[in-house]
Amino acid sequence: MALQLYNTSGRRKEAFEPIDPANVRMYVCGPTVYDFAHIGNARPVIVFDVLFRLLRRRYGDAHVRYVRNITDIDDKINAAAKANGEDIRTLTERTAKAFHEDVAALGCLPPTVEPRATEHIGPIIKMIETLIASEHAYRAEGHVLFSVASDPEYGKFSGRSRDEMIAGARVEVAPYKKDPGDFVLWKPSPPDLPGWESPWGRGRPGWHIECSAMSEAHLGETFDIHGGGLDLIFPHHENEIAQSTCAHGGKQFAHYWLHNGFVTVDGEKMAKSAGNFRTIRDVLNDAPGEAARYAMLMSHYRDPLDWTGERLEQAKHTLDRFYLALRDAPASAGGGMSPEFEAALDDDLNTPLALAALHELLNELNKATTDADKARLAGELRASAAILGLLQRDPNAWLKGPTDEAAEIEALIVQRLDARKAKNFAEADRIRTELAIRGIVLEDKPGGKTEWRRAV
RNA sequence: GGCCGGAUGGCAGAGUGGCUAUGCAGAGGACUGCAAAUCCUCGUACAGCGGUUCGAUUCCGCUUCCGGCCUCCA
């Protein structure tokens, strides 16, 4: 079955067909690096990582080009640097590094290219010049603005008319704008803030133009998939489309637009003022990244997701069950995705249904009686889960966790086995309880062997 | 005010015009010295009101409630 994706442009599922049948190009809006990333930022990174992995499986690793930018020039960055008394460059480097560590812990592959806005000032200026030359942009008091009136298609993507936008505008309109909807492509920058020389004086780019310029630089004028959070539909993506199509003589920008839903925490929108701001770091403190990833994939990417401690616990517990089965299965070579699993992902990345398919495999694996069946099912389970970025670790590493007391635990287990052989069950239970208090769970396997793992 | 998306069992969460996923928690059973893990069985949910239909949780309309966006935002 062919991959179906829900296209925000048109608001329906469509069969995915890349422009070049052999190569896929995808752009996803990345983070603005001014602070630690929160759990809401993690969602698009994980969701599009799953899509990246699925596309790589289909088209080959070398045939999927995934670009995710880093916005390292922005008002919030300037403000945060000032508040910290930190150099701007130091702040963005530090924050970008933290972001990389966080998403790596969540099991996300690095994108093919990770362009930075500050490294694309040349292409940005060039694109703005093109827009001015074709009268889609104009200069006003040191700024360069995009003229929404010059683009009859403006507003179509996000489904709003210009009248509505004006009527609904809740922000004071700068007096130099010809139209209240016009947005900044370039703005002046004072000497104490980052800026670049340009035909319009020293300044810096607006947020929207960065993505248009960087996607063109790394994917060309037209590419296949553009992703991001739901909140970016307007104005960010609407503006990107306007800039890129107008700069490219009306050529279509991205063919498929994918947007992930929002994450709330304990039922409420995350806000520092509400005290429910949850960074990826906070979450990684409570659980392994793989559990957080599983918890994220429990909901369909377009639906809202409420992040709770209970959800994370459940994810952790469920992964224990999978790794328990994998631990006891014979080593398996390769294997493919299960058909049910593949069909679920093909249907607009239905990860909850895909996880259900994984549970079917788990159940079969637990019931399998021959080594051949076990190896086959374990292989299929791992090969399927790999697309979700799950179940790729060594089961014992997952179940036992980092520990330097393994030898001591093993010794106690031997003592307990001796006691059991002597039918001294009181002593055997005493040792088991002692370990339980330390968070160690024992499992007596058939054949007199005892396994241990860390309790959830 | 405008535009969009939701409402499913104790919780999480798919899906479907009739055969009513999956996981967690819970109950009973098998296995076990007892456990743990695993397996088996069980609970019969689709916000409300109308309409279409032989039949609607699924399609249509209205109502209520919730969330997102309306130039900071994943």
Side-chain angles (χ1 to χ4, degrees):
Chain A
M1 185 189 159
L3 175 62
Q4 302 269 124
L5 295 173
Y6 182 87
N7 194 344
T8 303
S9 179
R11 295 175 202 279
R12 60 190 172 87
K13 281 188 208 172
E14 295 173 7
F16 175 69
E17 286 168 27
I19 297 159
D20 170 355
N23 293 286
V24 180
R25 287 167 288 166
M26 170 163 83
Y27 185 93
V28 175
C29 292
T32 299
V33 285
Y34 67 99
D35 199 354
F36 288 116
H38 57 67
I39 194 66
N41 296 309
R43 172 117 95 146
V45 181
I46 292 172
V47 164
F48 291 105
D49 182 66
V50 170
L51 180 56
F52 184 38
R53 287 169 185 264
L54 181 63
L55 292 169
R56 278 160 61 105
R57 180 73 66 100
R58 288 278 158 76
Y59 294 88
D61 289 0
H63 297 274
V64 183
R65 192 169 174 81
Y66 171 27
V67 179
R68 187 184 64 213
N69 71 292
I70 284 185
T71 296
D72 57 357
I73 172 80
D74 178 87
D75 285 341
K76 272 185 293 194
I77 293 172
N78 296 342
K82 197 176 174 187
N84 298 351
E86 195 175 12
D87 175 67
I88 286 170
R89 189 78 180 180
T90 310
L91 169 73
T92 56
E93 286 306 312
R94 180 175 62 78
T95 317
K97 184 167 171 278
F99 174 76
H100 288 142
E101 288 166 2
D102 289 348
V103 298
L106 293 172
C108 298
L109 301 171
T112 319
V113 189
E114 195 168 49
R116 291 174 187 233
T118 52
E119 290 165 5
H120 291 75
I121 301 299
I124 289 170
I125 289 174
K126 202 169 156 238
M127 189 173 238
I128 296 174
E129 285 180 315
T130 305
L131 288 169
I132 293 176
S134 56
E135 296 187 348
H136 287 295
Y138 59 95
R139 300 173 63 168
E141 297 185 21
H143 295 69
V144 180
L145 295 156
F146 184 89
S147 167
V148 296
S150 76
D151 177 14
E153 302 289 300
Y154 190 78
K156 233 178 179 176
F157 175 69
S158 57
R160 59 195 80 210
S161 73
R162 287 200 26 243
D163 290 347
E164 282 165 10
M165 286 187 266
I166 295 163
R170 54 180 186 189
V171 170
E172 212 175 310
V173 178
Y176 49 78
K177 287 188 180 181
K178 286 184 185 168
D179 184 296
D182 291 350
F183 55 90
V184 170
L185 300 177
W186 189 265
K187 59 176 148 188
S189 199
D192 58 319
L193 288 176
W196 291 263
E197 289 308 323
S198 79
W200 321 287
R202 185 174 184 278
R204 59 193 175 88
W207 175 39
H208 313 300
I209 195 75
E210 296 171 12
C211 283
S212 283
M214 286 190 273
S215 60
E216 185 194 320
H218 297 282
L219 297 172
E221 295 186 346
T222 301
F223 52 93
D224 300 300
I225 299 169
H226 191 131
L230 198 74
D231 55 322
L232 297 183
I233 293 172
F234 188 87
H236 187 54
H237 291 161
E238 183 77 61
N239 292 356
E240 274 187 59
I241 291 169
Q243 292 160 344
S244 292
T245 51
C246 288
H248 300 149
K251 267 172 85 175
Q252 191 177 356
F253 184 37
H255 283 202
Y256 301 87
W257 287 84
L258 271 58
H259 292 95
N260 63 273
F262 248 61
V263 177
T264 53
V265 169
D266 294 325
E268 294 188 16
K269 185 172 174 172
M270 252 185 291
K272 280 181 177 162
S273 56
N276 64 348
F277 200 81
R278 198 71 47 88
T279 64
I280 298 174
R281 301 240 142 163
D282 294 336
V283 171
L284 292 174
N285 238 0
D286 294 341
E290 191 171 344
R293 186 179 174 100
Y294 189 102
M296 200 64 92
L297 296 176
M298 279 163 61
S299 290
H300 184 88
Y301 78 91
R302 285 194 279 119
D303 288 335
L305 181 159
D306 189 35
W307 189 268
T308 62
E310 197 185 348
R311 169 185 280 265
L312 190 57
E313 281 301 311
Q314 190 180 320
K316 208 178 353 172
H317 180 88
T318 305
L319 284 169
D320 274 355
R321 291 191 58 224
F322 277 110
Y323 275 121
L324 230 24
L326 288 172
R327 180 193 64 188
D328 297 333
S332 54
M337 287 186 265
S338 90
E340 292 79 11
F341 177 87
E342 191 167 7
L345 286 188
D346 272 342
D347 185 10
D348 193 31
L349 302 180
N350 191 336
T351 55
L353 194 57
L355 290 175
L358 252 34
H359 279 282
E360 296 288 341
L361 284 177
L362 173 64
N363 186 253
E364 282 185 59
L365 174 59
N366 281 330
K367 279 193 283 190
T369 50
T370 68
D371 276 0
D373 280 345
K374 286 182 190 173
R376 176 180 56 79
L377 289 161
E380 205 175 2
L381 182 56
R382 271 197 199 261
S384 301
I387 300 299
L388 300 180
L390 299 171
L391 302 181
Q392 303 304 298
R393 295 181 58 182
D394 170 51
N396 273 313
W398 169 271
L399 293 166
K400 294 180 175 166
T403 179
D404 47 11
E405 39 185 24
E408 191 195 341
I409 292 165
E410 306 283 355
L412 284 167
I413 287 172
V414 171
Q415 279 181 36
R416 178 168 167 275
L417 281 176
D418 288 343
R420 288 180 69 212
K421 271 183 209 147
K423 303 255 186 254
N424 184 353
F425 295 119
E427 172 63 7
D429 290 349
R430 188 196 63 75
I431 294 170
R432 186 167 63 195
T433 305
E434 183 188 325
L435 285 168
I437 290 165
R438 292 165 60 175
I440 306 298
V441 179
L442 299 187
E443 298 165 42
D444 294 329
K445 311 296 285 186
K449 198 172 179 318
T450 297
E451 295 276 11
W452 68 273
R453 66 189 158 91
R454 210 156 279 281
V456 181

